[in-house]
Amino acid sequence: MTSDAPRPPPRRRFFGAFGRRELKGLFWQVLVVGIAVAVVAFLWSNTVTNLSARRITTGFAFLGREAGMPIADSLLAYSPRDTYLWAFVVGVANTLRVAVIGIVLATILGTLIGISRLSANWLLSRLAAVYVETLRDIPLLLQLLFWYVLMQALPAARAAWRPVEGVFLSNRGLILPAIPFGPPQLAVLGTAVLGCAVFYVVRRWLVAQQMRDGRPRPAWPFAVALVIALPALVSVLLGVSWRIEWPQLRGFNFVGGLTLAPEYFALLIALVTYTSAFIAEIVRSGIQSVPRGQWDAANALGLRRSFMLRQIILPQALRVIVPPMTSQYLNLTKNSSLAVAIGYQDVVSIANTTLNQTGQAIEAIALIMAVFLTISLGISFFMNWYNARIALVER
Amino acid sequence: MTAISDMPDVPRAARRPQVGNPMVRWLRANLFSSIPNGILTIVLLAVLAKGVISFVQWGIASAVWLTPVNDSSACRAVRGIGACWAVIPEKYRFILFGTYPFDEQWRPALSVVLFIALFYLSTRRALWRRELVFIWIGALALISVLMWGGVLGLSFVSQDRWGGLPVTLILATFGLAFGFPLGILVALGRRSKLPAIRSLSVLYVELIRGVPLVSLLFMASVMFPLFMPSGFNIDKLLRAQIAIILFAGAYLAEVIRGGLQAVPRGQYEAADALGLSYWRKNRLIILPQAIRHVIPPLVNTFIAFFKDTSLVLIIGIFDLLTTAKTAIIDPAWQQFSVEVYIFVAAIYFVFCFAMSRYSRSLEATSGR
């Protein structure tokens, strides 16, 4: 066939520009969306019928009513006279209290155990391996119930254990010495946070300067000045007291100090130990992923050990560590909903009580889902930002 | 951070000359390679010895192993000093099989054996063929007959009397058996070129993965009856099973999607060049490779999922953990819950540890 022979005009198709492939695609999409819509419509109409039969009004108006449920352990001030809305807010605060502290502690413990598994000390690495294998292979809920039973089996307040002076462990929970926190202390803390922010900007500027002329400029004097000296100065000027309040046993209970209720403490221990086993494996694989040659090269340059870890090994290990770590943080946050099994009142437990009191099942579960989706998105957003920052820049 | 300096990857002082007794040499290299390391070893040994001794003291030396039926006085006498293992022989039938009729409990026991045989067969590589699907269907049908009865001269046992280990295995196995095909469909949907199907798949996965399983279970137990036409009632166990299938489907879909992404482009192009249809292309060429890529993470998902079935405790379904918790409501044995939890933890551990070993061996041998 010669190339310059006139091609026959394209045959006109019934559907104009659409080809067979597009038509098939369209057919499948219409089918799947149609099924989805039909299922949703079916469920929706049933729900509407059922709700009207049971005389349940839909909508979030119930949030303004008086909740009347007691909340034993809360971060925010709460009384049963408050509204359902406020009870939810208190529940969210309780969830965040477990999740945030749990994430910090699990990261620290998990990192230590992950490093221990790589230790040249045979005994230490074996013990770390046993810890990881055992905790990973037992359901979290079982571990949670186990810790809770142990907390309840602790002696009464009068015979409380005192592992260290001022720390009490009894069936009322863990009681620690604490510094009473008020507006003046918060002001000092705020100054420190501000100092950190300013230091961050200053450090960036110092690094930019070093990039220009290659001379290293130490950043630590700025850190000391902004993060330690400045808040200290504010503290002295305002005359803020940092007196530690020691808990004391009066009658049948403790006065002063910080009390971690048994439910909270059990939940925190269970979440931290369980998640740390997974984090340990992530940290181990991260460190092992750094090629041996990097250690050798750093050693050959005669770099100081701390510098080598900070500037050469960790940045490379973090690239492997951060993405799976994000899912562990999300898991820990979602797992905090197991609180409902031991009666710690997190957002799920409070929503469940609300649901039983008002019958507003759809709204209560929608609120739980909204809260967790928001938290999940928040964590992923932050971790993705962090991940993008530390990712390898290839040119 | 002292431990970092001991990492094997760090080239330390040159190897010591190999002299002396191999035992001493091993101790030197692994436990006493430096002074801080030696101190660490001694401290760990001391802590370990204390832990082991107090556990042996509590769990073996001062423990009570057997008592007369429903008499916990011997256990009460050693409370706080020794363990009361007597609670296990007393309650094991209830913990393992719940309220299933006592005389018929050989049926759930046989079902458990069948499940284990099924898992074992599924790990044999030689059997990874189409026949395996038929083995699964046959075994699951046999288990249903055993549990329900009502045919072949077996008396009928309704679902609300099932409990314990068979329920845990049922929730996990049926969850996988249905969640897996669902996961494949959703994973394909997520990579589809058709925008409507893609967005529906993304919506499904993100919604399920973004919320805790507890809330899905609440939804199944509280909202499901609202969703259905009045008069239409599904059993509580089945509702939980549906929630678990939906949950498993979303997580498995993400693992399988990872596998799909690992299949080289050329494989798709070759299949297209042969003129295969979408379904034949995926069934014959893409999926077998994709799933092979992700077998270790799939096993890890199975383990996580097996443990997560214990959450049905929260909506009051009698799985293994719930029967254990119920067994110790009995006032006579109330104080010995730690022993019961250790027993149940051991059962879960055996299943999960076996799976994790298997996953490890797969990773080691899956040389391509």
Side-chain angles (χ1 to χ4, degrees):
Chain A
M1 195 192 214
T2 52
S3 58
D4 54 355
R7 290 177 67 197
R11 241 192 319 156
R12 289 191 56 153
R13 276 178 291 205
F14 185 68
F15 283 99
F18 275 12
R20 224 171 88 84
R21 195 174 262 272
E22 282 80 7
L23 253 181
K24 240 165 116 181
L26 189 70
F27 166 75
W28 279 106
Q29 296 195 62
V30 169
L31 186 74
V32 170
V33 173
I35 292 174
V37 169
V39 167
V40 170
F42 172 71
L43 298 179
W44 184 258
S45 79
N46 285 331
T47 310
V48 170
T49 328
N50 285 325
L51 286 178
S52 67
R54 293 177 201 191
R55 305 230 161 90
I56 300 173
T57 50
T58 50
F60 289 92
F62 73 99
L63 284 176
R65 299 214 302 266
E66 189 182 292
M69 78 174 93
I71 297 182
D73 182 24
S74 67
L75 204 58
L76 304 172
Y78 172 86
S79 86
R81 311 282 307 268
D82 286 322
T83 60
Y84 279 114
L85 182 63
W86 185 244
F88 264 110
V89 173
V90 169
V92 173
N94 277 355
T95 293
L96 288 176
R97 175 160 76 130
V98 168
V100 171
I101 296 178
I103 284 174
V104 171
L105 294 180
T107 308
I108 296 171
L109 185 63
T111 309
L112 287 178
I113 290 167
I115 292 173
S116 302
R117 264 199 94 164
L118 291 171
S119 165
N121 189 314
W122 182 85
L123 190 60
L124 183 63
S125 73
R126 287 290 92 187
L127 283 177
V130 169
Y131 175 93
V132 169
E133 287 292 346
T134 316
L135 288 176
R136 281 203 312 180
D137 286 346
I138 296 172
L140 175 58
L141 184 57
L142 178 51
Q143 296 188 31
L144 177 60
L145 293 174
F146 182 84
W147 287 114
Y148 188 53
V149 163
L150 280 191
M151 289 300 295
Q152 286 176 320
L154 285 174
R158 283 185 162 275
W161 280 357
R162 303 169 79 171
V164 189
E165 191 53 43
V167 175
F168 296 91
L169 195 58
S170 73
N171 58 8
R172 307 227 171 202
L174 179 71
I175 291 110
L176 299 166
I179 297 166
F181 243 72
Q185 284 88 353
L186 275 179
V188 174
L189 207 65
T191 320
V193 172
L194 200 70
C196 284
V198 175
F199 173 67
Y200 178 74
V201 175
V202 169
R203 213 189 81 107
R204 282 188 67 159
W205 181 74
L206 287 175
V207 171
Q209 289 297 305
Q210 184 181 349
M211 288 292 170
R212 191 167 307 150
D213 58 13
R215 264 194 306 137
R217 291 176 174 77
W220 63 267
F222 292 94
V224 171
L226 286 166
V227 184
I228 299 170
L230 187 66
L233 189 70
V234 173
S235 170
V236 170
L237 285 180
L238 290 177
V240 180
S241 111
W242 294 97
R243 199 177 51 80
I244 297 177
E245 198 179 67
W246 296 88
Q248 273 164 352
L249 187 62
R250 295 250 176 81
F252 293 107
N253 209 345
F254 293 95
V255 181
L258 177 75
T259 303
L260 304 183
E263 292 81 14
Y264 176 73
F265 193 47
L267 183 62
L268 195 63
I269 294 186
L271 285 174
V272 166
T273 50
Y274 182 77
T275 314
S276 69
F278 291 87
I279 291 181
E281 285 296 279
I282 295 172
V283 168
R284 177 177 70 102
S285 67
I287 292 177
Q288 280 180 333
S289 75
V290 178
R292 234 195 122 82
Q294 298 286 327
W295 295 94
D296 294 339
N299 263 336
L301 288 175
L303 297 179
R304 264 183 299 123
R305 170 153 248 107
S306 63
F307 183 86
M308 170 170 133
L309 268 176
R310 216 176 49 233
Q311 301 287 345
I312 296 176
I313 306 304
L314 273 183
Q316 299 185 60
L318 276 179
R319 282 186 197 129
V320 178
I321 290 175
V322 168
M325 204 73 130
T326 309
S327 26
Q328 287 309 319
Y329 290 169
L330 290 174
N331 279 347
L332 189 145
T333 310
K334 282 188 281 171
N335 284 336
S336 72
S337 61
L338 294 184
V340 70
I342 57 167
Y344 174 73
Q345 284 163 307
D346 73 326
V347 63
V348 174
S349 162
I350 285 174
N352 193 32
T353 312
T354 309
L355 185 160
N356 289 330
Q357 286 180 358
T358 62
Q360 306 277 3
I362 298 175
E363 292 82 356
I365 288 176
L367 280 174
I368 297 180
M369 295 192 157
V371 166
F372 277 95
L373 284 175
T374 312
I375 296 175
S376 301
L377 284 178
I379 292 179
S380 329
F381 185 76
F382 173 75
M383 294 300 281
N384 282 338
W385 166 81
Y386 185 65
N387 193 28
R389 232 178 71 87
I390 62 166
L392 187 63
V393 182
E394 286 183 281
R395 286 167 227 267
Chain B
M1 297 288 266
T2 54
I4 281 204
S5 60
D6 304 327
M7 271 178 331
D9 282 351
V10 189
R12 293 201 60 81
R15 285 268 160 78
R16 282 160 213 278
Q18 308 232 325
V19 287
N21 171 330
M23 172 89 171
V24 173
R25 226 163 53 210
W26 185 88
L27 284 176
R28 263 243 159 112
N30 293 302
L31 295 179
F32 300 97
S33 58
S34 63
I35 290 172
N37 228 333
I39 296 172
L40 181 66
T41 303
I42 290 167
V43 171
L44 283 176
L45 275 180
V47 172
L48 190 66
K50 195 163 173 346
V52 169
I53 288 172
S54 47
F55 184 80
V56 168
Q57 195 91 52
W58 175 81
I60 298 171
S62 321
V64 175
W65 297 88
L66 271 176
T67 55
V69 173
N70 221 0
D71 172 16
S72 59
S73 52
C75 279
R76 284 162 195 280
V78 296
R79 188 157 179 257
I81 308 158
C84 172
W85 299 115
V87 65
I88 307 296
E90 178 81 20
K91 297 281 182 196
Y92 82 97
R93 291 282 284 259
F94 183 79
I95 295 173
L96 289 180
F97 305 121
T99 53
Y100 206 91
F102 196 83
D103 294 329
E104 301 284 331
Q105 283 183 359
W106 60 272
R107 281 156 54 183
L110 192 58
S111 304
V112 169
V113 173
L114 271 173
F115 270 125
I116 294 171
L118 185 61
F119 299 153
Y120 178 73
L121 286 179
S122 306
T123 63
R124 315 295 318 178
R125 265 183 188 211
L127 282 171
W128 288 357
R129 280 174 290 148
R130 192 160 303 170
E131 287 83 340
L132 194 59
V133 176
F134 298 116
I135 294 181
W136 268 72
I137 293 171
L140 293 184
L142 196 56
I143 287 167
S144 313
V145 168
L146 272 174
M147 291 300 290
W148 259 302
V151 287
L152 303 175
L154 296 170
S155 60
F156 175 75
V157 179
S158 82
Q159 240 160 283
D160 46 336
R161 301 204 60 181
W162 299 5
L165 187 55
V167 169
T168 290
L169 293 175
I170 287 170
L171 287 173
T173 315
F174 281 85
L176 282 182
F178 289 94
F180 197 69
L182 178 65
I184 290 178
L185 283 183
V186 174
L188 288 175
R190 238 191 129 152
R191 285 178 53 83
S192 158
K193 289 196 193 70
L194 311 173
I197 290 177
R198 198 170 52 227
S199 8
L200 272 181
S201 310
V202 171
L203 189 72
Y204 166 71
V205 169
E206 296 301 332
L207 270 185
I208 302 265
R209 279 162 35 102
V211 300
L213 177 56
V214 174
S215 67
L216 288 180
L217 289 172
F218 277 144
M219 210 159 138
S221 80
V222 192
M223 283 167 72
F224 212 81
L226 282 182
F227 286 159
M228 287 294 128
S230 57
F232 184 85
N233 210 356
I234 304 190
D235 183 82
K236 202 156 106 178
L237 185 64
L238 187 57
R239 295 201 307 252
Q241 182 73 75
I242 292 173
I244 281 180
I245 290 171
L246 291 177
F247 175 78
Y251 278 80
L252 290 172
E254 283 299 275
V255 177
I256 295 167
R257 184 166 72 106
L260 287 175
Q261 282 173 351
V263 176
R265 251 195 99 72
Q267 298 289 324
Y268 287 90
E269 288 164 353
D272 284 336
L274 287 175
L276 294 181
S277 74
Y278 178 80
W279 295 109
R280 283 172 71 89
K281 173 173 81 177
N282 278 304
R283 190 164 56 86
L284 297 174
I285 296 180
I286 307 302
L287 279 173
Q289 298 185 57
I291 290 173
R292 211 162 272 264
H293 271 299
V294 289
I295 287 172
L298 273 180
V299 179
N300 288 339
T301 314
F302 293 172
I303 298 177
F305 178 66
F306 183 78
K307 287 183 295 173
D308 280 342
T309 57
S310 63
L311 264 62
V312 296
L313 176 133
I314 286 166
I315 55 170
I317 285 174
F318 273 69
D319 76 323
L320 182 59
L321 187 52
T322 318
T323 50
K325 202 166 175 254
T326 315
I328 43 188
I329 286 177
D330 184 348
W333 304 97
Q334 216 163 26
Q335 294 154 344
F336 308 105
S337 37
V338 167
E339 288 84 345
V340 172
Y341 285 146
I342 290 178
F343 173 66
V344 173
I347 297 179
Y348 275 107
F349 181 83
V350 168
F351 277 98
C352 295
F353 190 68
M355 278 193 271
S356 103
R357 273 289 113 122
Y358 175 63
S359 150
R360 198 78 55 81
S361 79
L362 274 179
E363 261 170 87
T365 55
S366 69
R368 45 216 76 192

